[in-house]
Amino acid sequence: MLSVRTSQKPRLSESAHSGILDERILVLVFGSLRWDIHDLCRAASVNRRMRALAKRVLWRELCAHHAPRMVSALTAGSGNTRLVGGWHALAKLLFFCGGCKPSRHFKLQPSSRPGHFVRSSRFSKTSGRSFLAKGCREDVLYVSDPCEHAAAGDDLVGIYRGIFGGFMKSRTRDCLIRRRVEFEAGVRCPYCGARVWSMTAAGMIPRRNAARRLGSSGESVEYFVCLNGHLHGTCWLMPLSSDEEEEEEEEDEFDLDEYNNGGVPTHNHNHSASNNGGVGVNTRNIALIKV
């Protein structure tokens, strides 16, 4: 006789809870949390399935939420779904200062600065042009303001980061390959782990322009670019006089807090500018990201 256990509920396979339905729910959940990167980091560490889902969908959504115009510029022509190096690397770059270690071109005491999350970040395509060598100025490059770290005495170390758009087809990459610049030994990208080129060794740093943007002396600027187009660098910062601050180019400010308030502008631009050195930002070329 065939017996039927009516009290036993059918077990659903893991695949029954996977797919677009779960992804949509999670997008709604994290959207209600304003795409907080700390929450997403915790969720992605739960198990392999959540880690894979975050890598496939959630990191991209986080980046698009906090920096929509930057993401649009970086993915132009690629359908806004794929990014060289991965979306998780871009998310880390947006919200994490990678720290620094001394290199053969940049001496540092004490020997290193640890990485850390940042409360706010400002990335500018206008600033990025100041880091591009002559002949490569048509490349798309976003660069952050330097993150200040105390050094010996009253010295300040500036740690900055950035990313190229369409790096595989960029003139910068083509120039590095044509010059047969070797990868820097012992240095890896803090965002994707790829090998890097030293732009100092390549002789491709426009020192005067880059130093002016960073508020540094020209001889103390160094940065690396990895195979995936991520940039990270260091410099010695100099205190700016009031006259130098007045000479900075005035630009309109674009505050991504607007996107964290349901698309309603906060109109709190003066406060945001004061937290970022008092310098406004171009609405087409800037992403101001806060957590």
Side-chain angles (χ1 to χ4, degrees):
M1 178 180 295
L2 179 65
S3 61
V4 178
R5 297 181 181 180
T6 57
S7 61
Q8 186 176 1
K9 296 181 180 180
R11 295 183 60 187
L12 295 177
S13 65
E14 185 177 355
S15 61
H17 291 290
S18 62
I20 191 63
L21 182 61
D22 253 14
E23 292 173 4
R24 286 176 176 171
I25 292 174
L26 286 170
V27 167
L28 291 173
V29 168
F30 284 105
S32 69
L33 297 172
R34 296 185 178 181
W35 290 99
D36 185 276
I37 191 169
H38 303 284
D39 291 331
L40 185 48
C41 285
R42 285 188 286 265
S45 64
V46 169
N47 54 38
R48 290 182 180 179
R49 181 168 171 268
M50 278 298 300
R51 187 159 54 249
L53 196 151
K55 187 175 181 179
R56 186 174 69 253
V57 178
L58 300 180
W59 290 123
R60 181 184 73 232
E61 295 295 328
L62 178 142
C63 295
H65 173 84
H66 287 289
R69 294 177 182 174
M70 182 175 172
V71 166
S72 177
L74 294 176
T75 58
S78 63
N80 201 29
T81 58
R82 296 182 63 86
L83 187 71
V84 175
W87 291 102
H88 60 292
L90 176 59
K92 184 177 180 181
L93 187 144
L94 292 178
F95 293 103
F96 191 79
C97 168
C100 69
K101 296 180 180 179
S103 66
R104 60 182 174 133
H105 300 293
F106 192 88
K107 307 304 178 183
L108 184 63
Q109 293 292 336
S111 60
S112 64
R113 296 294 182 279
H116 61 90
F117 280 102
V118 294
R119 294 186 62 185
S120 65
S121 294
R122 193 180 76 156
F123 288 81
S124 171
K125 189 166 66 174
T126 301
S127 295
R129 294 193 188 102
S130 299
F131 293 79
L132 295 170
K134 186 177 181 180
C136 301
R137 302 274 168 81
E138 297 300 317
D139 291 347
V140 174
L141 173 62
Y142 280 85
V143 174
S144 73
D145 286 344
C147 180
E148 297 182 359
H149 290 248
D154 296 329
D155 293 335
L156 287 175
V157 176
I159 303 175
Y160 52 99
R161 58 206 191 275
I163 184 171
F164 281 83
F167 182 65
M168 292 300 176
K169 298 180 179 179
S170 69
R171 293 185 179 182
T172 297
R173 180 179 181 272
D174 181 64
C175 188
L176 287 166
I177 292 174
R178 283 191 291 104
R179 293 188 181 189
R180 298 184 178 181
V181 180
E182 296 183 357
F183 292 119
E184 190 73 2
V187 182
R188 293 277 181 167
C189 175
Y191 301 103
C192 67
R195 302 184 71 180
V196 301
W197 289 286
S198 167
M199 302 302 280
T200 303
M204 294 178 62
I205 297 181
R207 293 190 177 277
R208 183 177 178 181
N209 292 339
R212 182 176 181 274
R213 282 291 178 178
L214 293 168
S216 172
S217 63
E219 296 302 318
S220 65
V221 175
E222 180 183 40
Y223 50 90
F224 303 91
V225 176
C226 81
L227 284 166
N228 293 318
H230 303 133
L231 178 151
H232 72 281
T234 51
C235 65
W236 291 109
L237 297 176
M238 297 189 305
L240 293 178
S241 67
S242 58
D243 291 338
E244 289 173 321
E245 290 176 353
E246 291 175 357
E247 290 176 359
E248 291 287 345
E249 179 183 357
E250 293 184 0
E251 298 173 334
D252 295 329
E253 184 169 344
F254 173 57
D255 193 337
L256 285 189
D257 278 350
E258 296 180 6
Y259 291 89
N260 294 335
N261 288 277
V264 180
T266 60
H267 300 295
N268 193 19
H269 296 322
N270 292 333
H271 172 73
S272 297
S274 64
N275 288 341
N276 290 277
V279 182
V281 290
N282 190 289
T283 59
R284 294 172 298 176
N285 299 334
I286 198 75
L288 178 63
I289 303 156
K290 293 186 177 182
V291 291

